[in-house]
Amino acid sequence: MSHRQSAPQWLSEEPLILRLLNSFIDKLERGVRPQLRVSAKTTPELYDFEEDVDYLWALLDSLDKDHHLITIKKSRVKPYQPTYEGAQLLFLPEREEQVRQWLERPAIDPYALVWQHELEKLSVLPPAAQGLAQTIVRIPELGAEKTLRGFLRIDEVLRKPMTLRALSARCFQGDSKVLERYEPLVRQLYPDLASHILPRPLLLAVYLPQSFQKLLFVENQDSFLALAQRRPPTTALIYSAGFRGSALRMREPEQVVFSYLDATAPSCVDFERFWFSDRQDRLVHFWGDLDYAAMGILKAVRQSFTEASAWLPGYDPMLEQLRAGEGHSSTSANKGLQKDPGLTGCQWADDCLLPAIRQTNAFVDQEFVDIPPLRLNG
């Protein structure tokens, strides 16, 4: 590891060097490439021949060869021109911290400056302004001004009940997802209005037979619809759509909206009576991709349906495919960065499915399975 060099003793006595180094830092802060071409306009000291210009140039050359702060690229010169005429001085950005130390110029946060400037422009400071002065929110696609004004607008918008997505869209240029990660901050900034934030109900599609004995959560749409077309006589199918079906509140009344496929009114009543109870007396299975994300869904489903297990008829052919070396890489771009859930609580998933994923470092998608031959009573 390299150690920081102390500033040379001559630095404080050389206005040209100080000015050039400061100009490079200025450019870095503005997001401009830190470079300069030597000319009578940019470095007049080198053209004042009452000065020791050779000494000044030697100092600049030292910044390159001795201190490695800049790179000097010389241009071709005519015999009567100084050797440094038209030379290009390129500052090395990785040396910014070193130069800031020499100049006693600590790093600044341009975004924080804009954030503070926008707060200072407000003629009337709303109650949330103090909290926003202490908490800087960085949403790069919006920038400091639009982000700050969006958060301040919540005070006038959140005067009636609405979902967080509706609030976000009305405060952030129609973007309903900006506030997804900032609900705790919204509640902290506006404690008197937080009760107006409505929970967003889960929307679950359900195939429901006349009388059901089992529940099968299905992760992906194509597989769910293909299973529903077979109209299993005793199995209710729930399209979990990723993690939506695994939320802890999915068995709480008024937190879920069901969309039924060809269900009768009595069967819906029976299904919802079971769903919103604490009963655990029906078989519950989960079937999704053979990957870490799906195993995470299974783990979460078991928090609401404690005996839920991986569905063997669906996962068995996927497991064979994986063990045959026919899975796709766990690092493929469309899978994102998935985390191993550890243990799901389902013995077969923990003893067989997850170890197979770990050993092969590969996944198999649910759509691999041919639906018609599946045993729906498994």
Side-chain angles (χ1 to χ4, degrees), residues 3-14 17-22 24-25 59-70 91 95-107:
H3 297 282
R4 294 178 185 171
Q5 296 177 338
S6 299
Q9 294 181 354
W10 47 258
L11 180 64
S12 60
E13 301 172 356
E14 299 300 335
I17 309 299
L18 288 171
R19 180 170 58 80
L20 290 180
L21 291 179
N22 273 295
F24 290 141
I25 298 300
L59 295 182
L60 284 170
D61 196 44
S62 176
L63 294 182
D64 179 355
K65 296 177 180 176
D66 299 328
H67 300 286
H68 311 295
L69 303 182
I70 65 174
F91 182 74
R95 305 292 285 165
E96 177 183 358
E97 186 177 354
Q98 175 74 75
V99 173
R100 285 187 179 278
Q101 183 187 28
W102 284 10
L103 300 176
E104 297 183 353
R105 182 174 168 176

Side-chain angles (χ1 to χ4, degrees), residues 310-316 319 346-355:
W311 191 48
L312 191 147
Y315 272 120
D316 202 37
L319 183 59
C346 165
Q347 184 172 353
W348 187 54
D350 293 341
D351 291 348
C352 295
L353 299 182
L354 277 167

Side-chain angles (χ1 to χ4, degrees), residues 202-208 216-218 220-221 224-225 228 236-241 244-245 256-262 271 275:
L202 300 168
L203 179 60
L204 298 178
V206 180
Y207 161 78
L208 193 60
L216 174 59
F217 287 86
V218 185
N220 298 325
Q221 178 178 313
F224 168 77
L225 292 174
L237 305 173
I238 297 94
Y239 172 41
S240 62
R244 285 193 304 170
V256 180
V257 175
F258 295 108
S259 176
Y260 292 105
L261 277 63
D262 301 326
F271 174 78
W275 186 277

Side-chain angles (χ1 to χ4, degrees), residues 300-319:
V301 167
R302 285 177 54 84
Q303 296 183 59
S304 294
F305 295 92
T306 57
E307 300 302 316
S309 60
W311 191 48
L312 191 147
Y315 272 120
D316 202 37
M318 299 167 71
L319 183 59

Side-chain angles (χ1 to χ4, degrees), residues 230-252:
R230 291 189 56 186
R231 306 180 68 82
T234 61
T235 301
L237 305 173
I238 297 94
Y239 172 41
S240 62
F243 277 96
R244 285 193 304 170
S246 63
L248 289 174
R249 55 191 175 94
M250 69 178 175
R251 297 193 77 175
E252 297 177 9

